[in-house]
Amino acid sequence: LSPTVAPDYTEGIYQTVTVDRNFNIGYSTLCLPFNMSVETFTGGDTDAYVAYLSDVQESNGVTSLYFVNMQMIEANKPCIIYLSKPLDAPTFSNIAVHSPESKTFTGGAWSMYGNYTPGFSMYGKYGVARNAAIMKGGAASKLNAYSAYLVGPANAANAKVMFGEYVEEEDITGISGISNETATQRNGKYAGNQQIIILHNGKKYRINGTLIK
Protein backbone atom coordinates (compact mmCIF):
# COMPACT_ATOMS: atom_id res chain seq x y z
CA LEU A 1 0.00 0.00 0.00
CA SER A 2 1.90 3.01 -1.26
CA PRO A 3 0.83 6.50 -0.14
CA THR A 4 1.84 7.87 -3.52
CA VAL A 5 0.00 5.29 -5.66
CA ALA A 6 -3.77 5.04 -6.03
CA PRO A 7 -5.23 1.74 -4.73
CA ASP A 8 -5.32 -0.88 -7.47
CA TYR A 9 -6.17 -3.97 -5.42
CA THR A 10 -9.40 -5.90 -5.02
CA GLU A 11 -10.97 -7.06 -1.78
CA GLY A 12 -9.56 -10.34 -0.54
CA ILE A 13 -6.98 -12.09 1.61
CA TYR A 14 -3.38 -11.21 0.76
CA GLN A 15 -0.37 -13.28 1.72
CA THR A 16 1.76 -10.16 2.27
CA VAL A 17 0.72 -6.56 2.88
CA THR A 18 3.22 -3.72 3.32
CA VAL A 19 2.21 -0.22 4.35
CA ASP A 20 4.95 1.61 2.46
CA ARG A 21 5.13 4.57 4.77
CA ASN A 22 7.57 5.70 7.46
CA PHE A 23 5.85 6.89 10.63
CA ASN A 24 7.58 9.36 12.94
CA ILE A 25 7.22 9.60 16.71
CA GLY A 26 4.12 11.56 17.63
CA TYR A 27 0.74 11.96 16.00
CA SER A 28 -0.35 11.45 12.42
CA THR A 29 -3.53 10.50 10.61
CA LEU A 30 -4.33 7.05 9.29
CA CYS A 31 -6.95 5.22 7.26
CA LEU A 32 -6.26 1.61 6.28
CA PRO A 33 -8.40 -0.97 4.44
CA PHE A 34 -7.94 -3.73 7.05
CA ASN A 35 -8.59 -4.46 10.71
CA MET A 36 -5.63 -4.92 13.06
CA SER A 37 -4.63 -4.40 16.67
CA VAL A 38 -2.39 -1.42 17.36
CA GLU A 39 0.10 -3.75 19.04
CA THR A 40 0.43 -5.84 15.87
CA PHE A 41 0.57 -2.82 13.57
CA THR A 42 3.29 -1.09 15.58
CA GLY A 43 5.34 -4.18 16.30
CA GLY A 44 4.78 -3.94 20.05
CA ASP A 45 4.81 -0.21 20.79
CA THR A 46 3.00 -0.43 24.14
CA ASP A 47 2.45 3.34 24.32
CA ALA A 48 0.85 3.54 20.89
CA TYR A 49 -2.86 3.97 20.26
CA VAL A 50 -5.34 5.09 17.66
CA ALA A 51 -8.01 7.66 18.42
CA TYR A 52 -11.34 8.09 16.65
CA LEU A 53 -13.32 11.29 16.48
CA SER A 54 -16.28 10.73 18.78
CA ASP A 55 -17.84 14.10 19.43
CA VAL A 56 -17.54 17.82 18.74
CA GLN A 57 -18.52 20.53 21.19
CA GLU A 58 -18.78 24.28 20.76
CA SER A 59 -18.68 26.35 23.95
CA ASN A 60 -17.82 30.00 24.55
CA GLY A 61 -16.28 30.30 21.10
CA VAL A 62 -14.02 27.27 21.61
CA THR A 63 -14.31 24.09 19.55
CA SER A 64 -13.29 20.85 21.29
CA LEU A 65 -12.79 17.75 19.16
CA TYR A 66 -13.12 14.65 21.34
CA PHE A 67 -11.08 11.64 20.22
CA VAL A 68 -11.50 8.32 22.02
CA ASN A 69 -8.38 6.16 22.34
CA MET A 70 -8.63 2.57 21.13
CA GLN A 71 -6.32 -0.39 20.61
CA MET A 72 -7.88 -1.60 17.34
CA ILE A 73 -7.48 -0.18 13.85
CA GLU A 74 -10.85 -0.48 12.11
CA ALA A 75 -10.88 -0.94 8.35
CA ASN A 76 -11.61 2.25 6.39
CA LYS A 77 -12.24 4.31 9.55
CA PRO A 78 -10.19 7.55 9.69
CA CYS A 79 -8.24 8.08 12.88
CA ILE A 80 -5.25 9.68 14.55
CA ILE A 81 -2.42 7.33 15.49
CA TYR A 82 0.14 8.04 18.20
CA LEU A 83 3.56 6.32 18.21
CA SER A 84 6.26 6.50 20.87
CA LYS A 85 8.89 5.13 18.48
CA PRO A 86 9.44 5.31 14.70
CA LEU A 87 7.78 2.72 12.48
CA ASP A 88 9.16 2.03 9.01
CA ALA A 89 7.08 0.32 6.30
CA PRO A 90 5.42 -2.38 8.44
CA THR A 91 4.71 -5.69 6.69
CA PHE A 92 2.06 -8.26 7.61
CA SER A 93 1.02 -11.73 6.50
CA ASN A 94 -2.38 -13.19 5.58
CA ILE A 95 -4.38 -9.99 5.81
CA ALA A 96 -8.05 -9.59 4.82
CA VAL A 97 -8.09 -6.36 2.82
CA HIS A 98 -11.35 -4.48 2.24
CA SER A 99 -12.26 -2.24 -0.66
CA PRO A 100 -10.98 1.32 0.00
CA GLU A 101 -14.25 2.99 1.01
CA SER A 102 -13.69 5.48 3.81
CA LYS A 103 -16.16 5.83 6.67
CA THR A 104 -16.93 9.36 7.84
CA PHE A 105 -17.72 10.88 11.23
CA THR A 106 -19.69 14.13 11.33
CA GLY A 107 -20.30 16.19 14.46
CA GLY A 108 -21.67 19.70 14.28
CA ALA A 109 -19.79 21.63 11.61
CA TRP A 110 -16.88 19.13 11.60
CA SER A 111 -16.29 15.92 9.66
CA MET A 112 -13.35 13.50 9.48
CA TYR A 113 -12.63 11.64 6.25
CA GLY A 114 -10.23 8.93 5.23
CA ASN A 115 -8.18 9.57 2.11
CA TYR A 116 -7.09 7.01 -0.50
CA THR A 117 -6.11 9.56 -3.17
CA PRO A 118 -2.39 10.36 -3.58
CA GLY A 119 -1.63 14.08 -3.77
CA PHE A 120 -5.06 15.01 -2.43
CA SER A 121 -5.46 18.79 -2.13
CA MET A 122 -5.64 19.95 1.48
CA TYR A 123 -6.47 23.54 0.57
CA GLY A 124 -8.99 24.82 3.11
CA LYS A 125 -9.07 21.50 4.96
CA TYR A 126 -7.49 20.62 8.29
CA GLY A 127 -4.70 18.20 9.07
CA VAL A 128 -3.11 16.99 12.29
CA ALA A 129 0.48 17.96 13.11
CA ARG A 130 2.97 15.67 14.85
CA ASN A 131 2.16 17.40 18.17
CA ALA A 132 -1.60 16.87 17.53
CA ALA A 133 -2.28 20.53 16.73
CA ILE A 134 -4.97 21.20 14.12
CA MET A 135 -3.49 22.94 11.06
CA LYS A 136 -5.26 24.37 8.02
CA GLY A 137 -3.90 23.46 4.59
CA GLY A 138 -2.67 26.12 2.21
CA ALA A 139 -2.99 26.26 -1.57
CA ALA A 140 0.01 23.98 -2.10
CA SER A 141 -0.75 21.50 0.71
CA LYS A 142 -1.14 17.87 -0.35
CA LEU A 143 -2.07 14.67 1.48
CA ASN A 144 -0.92 11.18 0.58
CA ALA A 145 -3.15 8.13 0.47
CA TYR A 146 -3.96 6.03 3.58
CA SER A 147 -4.26 9.18 5.68
CA ALA A 148 -7.15 11.26 6.98
CA TYR A 149 -8.23 14.88 7.22
CA LEU A 150 -10.81 17.11 8.87
CA VAL A 151 -13.29 19.52 7.32
CA GLY A 152 -14.51 22.34 9.54
CA PRO A 153 -15.41 26.01 9.63
CA ALA A 154 -13.25 28.39 7.63
CA ASN A 155 -11.92 30.07 10.77
CA ALA A 156 -11.13 27.35 13.31
CA ALA A 157 -7.77 28.49 14.64
CA ASN A 158 -8.97 27.92 18.19
CA ALA A 159 -10.01 24.27 17.67
CA LYS A 160 -8.55 21.93 20.28
CA VAL A 161 -8.01 18.18 20.33
CA MET A 162 -8.86 16.13 23.40
CA PHE A 163 -7.84 12.48 23.77
CA GLY A 164 -9.49 10.16 26.27
CA GLU A 165 -11.02 6.78 26.94
CA TYR A 166 -14.69 5.93 27.15
CA VAL A 167 -15.29 4.41 30.58
CA GLU A 168 -18.18 2.67 32.29
CA GLU A 169 -19.57 3.84 35.64
CA GLU A 170 -17.74 1.18 37.64
CA ASP A 171 -14.43 2.20 36.09
CA ILE A 172 -14.46 5.71 37.54
CA THR A 173 -15.01 5.04 41.25
CA GLY A 174 -13.20 7.67 43.28
CA ILE A 175 -12.65 10.06 40.37
CA SER A 176 -14.70 13.23 40.59
CA GLY A 177 -16.69 14.36 37.57
CA ILE A 178 -16.75 17.78 36.00
CA SER A 179 -19.04 19.20 33.35
CA ASN A 180 -18.15 19.92 29.75
CA GLU A 181 -18.49 23.65 30.41
CA THR A 182 -15.99 23.48 33.26
CA ALA A 183 -13.63 21.35 31.20
CA THR A 184 -13.70 23.79 28.31
CA GLN A 185 -13.01 26.72 30.60
CA ARG A 186 -9.96 24.90 31.92
CA ASN A 187 -8.35 24.42 28.50
CA GLY A 188 -4.59 24.18 28.74
CA LYS A 189 -4.55 23.70 32.51
CA TYR A 190 -4.37 19.91 32.64
CA ALA A 191 -0.88 18.69 33.42
CA GLY A 192 1.13 15.51 33.68
CA ASN A 193 -0.91 12.40 34.37
CA GLN A 194 -3.93 14.09 35.93
CA GLN A 195 -7.17 12.23 35.36
CA ILE A 196 -10.54 13.91 35.09
CA ILE A 197 -13.90 12.74 33.88
CA ILE A 198 -15.76 14.61 31.17
CA LEU A 199 -19.51 14.06 31.12
CA HIS A 200 -20.66 14.55 27.55
CA ASN A 201 -23.93 13.54 25.89
CA GLY A 202 -24.54 10.91 28.54
CA LYS A 203 -21.12 9.31 28.09
CA LYS A 204 -18.14 9.48 30.40
CA TYR A 205 -14.60 10.02 29.13
CA ARG A 206 -11.43 9.69 31.17
CA ILE A 207 -9.06 12.39 29.96
CA ASN A 208 -5.33 12.13 30.65
CA GLY A 209 -2.93 15.04 30.20
CA THR A 210 -3.48 18.23 28.27
CA LEU A 211 -5.86 19.65 25.74
CA ILE A 212 -3.77 20.45 22.66
CA LYS A 213 -4.39 23.56 20.64
Side-chain angles (χ1 to χ4, degrees), residues 68-192:
V68 177
N69 301 351
M70 303 291 285
Q71 285 299 315
M72 284 295 299
I73 296 169
E74 183 178 331
N76 292 326
K77 189 172 181 179
C79 64
I80 293 174
I81 185 169
Y82 171 78
L83 299 174
S84 66
K85 59 184 71 174
L87 178 64
D88 297 335
T91 298
F92 314 101
S93 301
N94 300 318
I95 300 298
V97 176
H98 298 254
S99 298
E101 300 174 357
S102 173
K103 301 174 183 178
T104 304
F105 174 86
T106 299
W110 288 83
S111 296
M112 190 170 190
Y113 299 89
N115 175 56
Y116 288 115
T117 303
F120 178 79
S121 174
M122 284 290 290
Y123 180 60
K125 303 174 182 67
Y126 294 92
V128 178
R130 199 178 303 177
N131 65 353
I134 299 295
M135 300 184 68
K136 190 173 184 179
S141 299
K142 304 291 182 182
L143 183 69
N144 284 332
Y146 307 106
S147 298
Y149 62 94
L150 292 154
V151 174
N155 183 13
N158 64 345
K160 299 177 183 295
V161 173
M162 178 179 281
F163 296 98
E165 301 170 348
Y166 174 68
V167 292
E168 300 294 343
E169 182 71 34
E170 59 269 21
D171 293 330
I172 60 173
T173 302
I175 304 176
S176 60
I178 63 174
S179 69
N180 267 344
E181 182 178 0
T182 303
T184 302
Q185 290 171 350
R186 290 178 57 186
N187 281 352
K189 294 185 180 180
Y190 310 136

